[in-house]
Amino acid sequence: MAVYTQVSDDALEAFLDGYDIGRPRSFKGIAEGVENSNYYLETGQGRFILTLFERRADPKDLPYFIALKQHLAARGFPCPAPVPARDGAPLQTLEGRPALVVTFLDGLSPKRPNAAQCRSMGEALARMHAALSDFVQVRENALGPASWPLLWEGRSQTAEELQPGLAALIEDDLAETAKARPQSPHLPRGTIHADLFPDNAFFLDDKFSGAIDFYFACTDALAYDLAVCLNSWAFEDGREYNYSKGAAMIAGYESVRPLEEAERAVLPLLCRGAALRFFMTRLVDWTDTPADALVRPKNPLEYADRLAFHRQAKSAADYGG
Amino acid sequence: MAVYTQVSDDALEAFLDGYDIGRPRSFKGIAEGVENSNYYLETGQGRFILTLFERRADPKDLPYFIALKQHLAARGFPCPAPVPARDGAPLQTLEGRPALVVTFLDGLSPKRPNAAQCRSMGEALARMHAALSDFVQVRENALGPASWPLLWEGRSQTAEELQPGLAALIEDDLAETAKARPQSPHLPRGTIHADLFPDNAFFLDDKFSGAIDFYFACTDALAYDLAVCLNSWAFEDGREYNYSKGAAMIAGYESVRPLEEAERAVLPLLCRGAALRFFMTRLVDWTDTPADALVRPKNPLEYADRLAFHRQAKSAADYGG
């Protein structure tokens, strides 16, 4: 929740000279996103978001993310549409950082999504998967199962300090998800968002109006995307699974694309894996974030609680599916 | 540069139900201002800024600031116009904090104002003083000369650590400005902004388009407001006085309201006082801000350098006036 890079008057002027979107009428840093600097930019031609990519973004991945958003926008799926500069390229440079202008999306991110929003999100997720079914570019999931043991390396002590007994449970989660990995290639695969938390989705009232922040998008099991959403949308106060919200989300998804039997069978495992992925990255941030950082790390324990739910789940039915 | 208070979905909904401005279409935290939480709010009826007043704002002062902005807006001076709720009151409550909706202002804050912008700012400052000439409410300048020795109390050691020899110079500044205080009541007085830094002013190209952040506004010498602006607009890289920018600002001001001879005579002293005021509050923030704070304190030494310039200035002519 910060703006890391300040943009000088001259740099902004020179940057916008490269675009055909008019003179700036407003330019404000947005306290949104934890990885990049985002600015609200208004010109005579409309409202835009200007993103400066900071250190965590790998520049070689950016063309993939941009192509993905262009693909979605071309198919009418609501997402920030990259705006190309006069030279035809959407990716430019500003203040020494890769910079991208995208169209502004109407909508509000729910802090505490209701069941109607969960349903609308599930439906939109399946529509997004459908819209991406002919997107041919491939990107490996850098935070897939293979990465989890690496992230875990040397952090069991921290986990124990957060909650005594947690390390052994996590070791077990890692073993179980590793054992089950061979099943995963048989699931329907495609391009997934992989980080579609409520703060990356917009709604007008209870109707989904757009998704943002595609910077973890990758090629993986489609049902894993649903598992990420169930983790981030259907738990109350971070810990209690809300059956009706989960059921609404799955029903919304299946109204567009019914889950296959194989997907339903491994949904608990996918949910457990998704919880493990966010537990791991939060654990890393928790230990690695300097005390004086602008962004406070999120507590990993929320995901430890969710893991406890997933460990005892037997099938999609336990999630309301 | 932060958003301190998060607004829940339900709280925002209930809050906006009290207004006649339509349903929200966008709601984003703005990384602007260091004292309060600000949100960009868009509804079917337009763009607004929603401010939640945090701890530093004294609730009993808020009606004064709101009345001041209403007064300016009614006279056509571009500033955020308070939007009253259905009950007629502009000041409401949200998430337990005093909350205010104001109209959105077009324009960009210059990071490094040019001479044309300084001229436009000077002219606007005089227009603002004129628009406020019939504003009858009075508020004492809480950060006027009487406050400086109190802020200085016990901080000479910190000043010495920042720059050896600085404490003695500051003691001298305090003595000189205290000695000169009796002159001040004879200067033309009125309502001043008292904090019109470049980040509190908006421009469309080089033309002033509005002023924001009136939370230090008070009743004081009008020329002191110009002194604050000369300090914050006319120094290059924080230290070197830019004669042409200063001259442009003074000329802009005088194109609307020529300075009186008494004002011209004490301009160096007013500038010295203004520099002292910002040096003192920055020194306090410098020592009092915890290392893990969301907002990094600004270095007080910038103002120590400006004080050095003001100490040797003899008259308005030294500022280009």
Side-chain angles (χ1 to χ4, degrees), chain A residues 1 3 6 9 12 23 25-26 28-31 40 42 47 104 106-107 111-112 202 205 291-292 294, chain B residues 1 3 6 9 23 25-26 28-29 31 40 42 47 104 106-107 111-112 202 205 291-292 294 296:
Chain A
M1 208 173 68
V3 168
Q6 297 296 323
D9 308 334
L12 180 65
R23 306 274 308 160
R25 289 219 297 227
S26 191
K28 290 180 194 300
I30 297 176
Y40 172 80
E42 199 175 317
R47 298 163 303 158
F104 184 92
D106 277 340
K111 294 277 185 307
R112 191 165 171 275
F202 290 152
D205 294 321
D292 63 347
L294 283 170
Chain B
M1 206 174 69
V3 167
Q6 296 297 321
D9 308 335
R23 308 272 308 159
R25 288 216 299 223
S26 191
K28 290 179 194 299
Y40 172 79
E42 198 175 316
R47 299 163 302 158
F104 185 92
D106 277 340
K111 295 277 185 308
R112 193 165 170 275
F202 290 152
D205 294 321
D292 63 347
L294 284 169
R296 294 178 197 280

Side-chain angles (χ1 to χ4, degrees), chain B residues 178-191:
Chain B
K179 207 164 65 187
R181 273 187 71 189
Q183 301 173 33
S184 177
H186 305 295
L187 301 173
R189 288 168 66 83
T191 305

Side-chain angles (χ1 to χ4, degrees), chain A residues 71-128:
Chain A
H71 188 97
L72 282 176
R75 270 146 193 80
F77 183 86
C79 75
V83 176
R86 287 185 207 273
D87 66 7
L91 197 58
Q92 300 287 328
T93 301
L94 178 55
E95 295 289 3
R97 281 157 183 78
L100 177 69
V101 173
V102 295
T103 55
F104 184 92
L105 281 188
D106 277 340
L108 286 77
S109 292
K111 294 277 185 307
R112 191 165 171 275
N114 60 34
Q117 289 166 335
C118 287
R119 190 188 158 91
S120 186
M121 181 70 261
E123 191 194 315
L125 184 69
R127 280 196 287 118
M128 188 188 77

Side-chain angles (χ1 to χ4, degrees), chain B residues 145-164:
Chain B
S147 73
W148 305 337
L150 306 175
L151 295 170
W152 177 243
E153 187 72 36
R155 298 189 195 272
S156 62
Q157 181 65 31
T158 310
E160 280 300 294
E161 284 162 16
L162 282 168
Q163 191 178 92

Side-chain angles (χ1 to χ4, degrees), chain A residues 130-247:
Chain A
L132 289 168
S133 62
D134 60 342
F135 181 63
V136 295
Q137 295 193 37
V138 169
R139 180 176 179 261
E140 204 193 339
N141 186 353
L143 292 171
S147 73
W148 305 337
L150 305 175
L151 295 171
W152 177 243
E153 187 72 37
R155 299 191 195 270
S156 61
Q157 180 65 33
T158 310
E160 279 300 293
E161 283 162 17
L162 282 168
Q163 192 179 330
L166 184 55
L169 292 167
I170 297 293
E171 301 276 2
D172 196 49
D173 292 326
L174 285 170
E176 294 285 320
T177 48
K179 208 164 62 185
R181 274 188 70 191
Q183 300 173 33
S184 176
H186 305 296
L187 300 174
R189 289 167 66 84
T191 305
I192 68 169
H193 185 288
D195 193 36
L196 233 176
F197 278 49
D199 52 354
N200 287 334
F202 290 152
F203 289 77
L204 289 171
D205 294 321
D206 291 342
K207 203 176 162 329
F208 173 85
S209 65
I212 63 167
D213 208 343
F214 288 78
Y215 303 111
F216 291 96
C218 56
T219 315
D220 207 332
L222 299 179
Y224 180 71
D225 226 4
L226 181 59
V228 167
C229 288
L230 287 170
N231 269 286
S232 53
W233 292 71
F235 282 83
E236 293 294 325
D237 305 320
R239 35 183 71 204
E240 199 78 33
Y241 188 73
N242 183 311
Y243 192 86
S244 24
K245 290 187 185 178

Side-chain angles (χ1 to χ4, degrees), chain B residues 257-268:
Chain B
R257 185 183 80 85
L259 293 170
E260 298 182 1
E261 207 38 63
E263 292 177 295
R264 299 179 57 86
V266 296
L267 194 63

